[in-house]
Amino acid sequence: LPLLFYLIERGREARRNRALFALSFGACALGGHPPTLMHMTLACLGYQLWRAAAPDRRPATRGSGSALWRTTWQIAAAMALGALLAAPQLLPFIEYLSESSSAESSRALARWSYGLSPGSLALFLNPYLLGAPTLGFEGLEPALGLASYENFNERTGFVGVATLFLALFALRFRRDRHT
């Protein structure tokens, strides 16, 4: 992701950066974890849109505003090219997803298949709230209005939660408006 952001920044200077972006994005797609690829895609598009809307610090040229928006379309095209490079990995996954029973099994177990329910946010941030396999379970699910989770790992957060907190902290204490 940092390399992709760097290539977005450098993309205004040379067309070869678009090709490097497409190759890098394709390599990410070949990584084999589509949810991470989706997060990276949204982050790159959001960053490019933010950069296109931000005032340019270089001397103004005729049509420079439209050039910034044109780079947004070029980034999207580079992402599409990267996805095409990774098609041998992505197409079987898309077929598998269409045949997956994840949604049906989640519905049968009364849980969300593609995200956290609002009530499970407390468990996501504090997975030991209801106990743990090594500590025993307290049986507090009904008292807290939470569903019972047989798999302890399904209710745990991840290290990235700290990163998200630090990103919010950075927004508050940024150096200047552009940053």
Side-chain angles (χ1 to χ4, degrees), residues 21-93:
F21 185 92
L23 287 172
S24 301
F25 189 79
C28 293
L30 288 171
H33 196 256
T36 299
L37 180 65
M38 182 59 66
H39 294 150
M40 292 175 67
T41 302
L42 293 174
C44 286
L45 287 175
Y47 183 69
Q48 174 57 33
L49 289 172
W50 177 76
R51 289 297 293 137
D56 197 1
R57 296 177 183 222
R58 294 174 292 164
T61 59
R62 185 176 170 159
S64 62
S66 64
L68 292 174
W69 288 104
R70 186 174 50 245
T71 60
T72 303
W73 289 109
Q74 290 172 354
I75 290 292
M79 286 180 165
L81 179 60
L84 285 174
L85 292 172
Q89 172 89 14
L90 294 177
L91 293 178
F93 171 76

Side-chain angles (χ1 to χ4, degrees), residues 14-166:
R15 289 190 178 186
R16 72 174 180 266
N17 289 321
R18 294 286 182 261
L20 289 173
F21 185 92
L23 287 172
S24 301
F25 189 79
C28 293
L30 288 171
H33 196 256
T36 299
L37 180 65
M38 182 59 66
H39 294 150
M40 292 175 67
T41 302
L42 293 174
C44 286
L45 287 175
Y47 183 69
Q48 174 57 33
L49 289 172
W50 177 76
R51 289 297 293 137
D56 197 1
R57 296 177 183 222
R58 294 174 292 164
T61 59
R62 185 176 170 159
S64 62
S66 64
L68 292 174
W69 288 104
R70 186 174 50 245
T71 60
T72 303
W73 289 109
Q74 290 172 354
I75 290 292
M79 286 180 165
L81 179 60
L84 285 174
L85 292 172
Q89 172 89 14
L90 294 177
L91 293 178
F93 171 76
I94 291 169
E95 181 182 3
Y96 163 78
L97 189 61
S98 69
E99 301 294 326
S100 174
S101 65
S102 178
E104 288 80 15
S105 64
S106 294
R107 194 174 313 112
L109 294 171
R111 64 180 184 188
W112 289 14
S113 61
Y114 298 112
L116 292 174
S117 64
S120 64
L121 181 60
L123 290 175
F124 183 74
L125 297 174
N126 183 7
Y128 294 101
L129 182 66
L130 301 178
T134 58
L135 303 173
F137 294 96
E138 300 296 323
L140 296 174
E141 296 95 347
L144 296 174
L146 299 170
S148 176
Y149 291 96
E150 295 178 13
N151 186 344
F152 180 74
N153 292 328
E154 286 183 356
R155 65 178 186 185
T156 58
F158 63 104
V159 177
V161 171
T163 306
L164 292 174
F165 173 75
L166 291 174

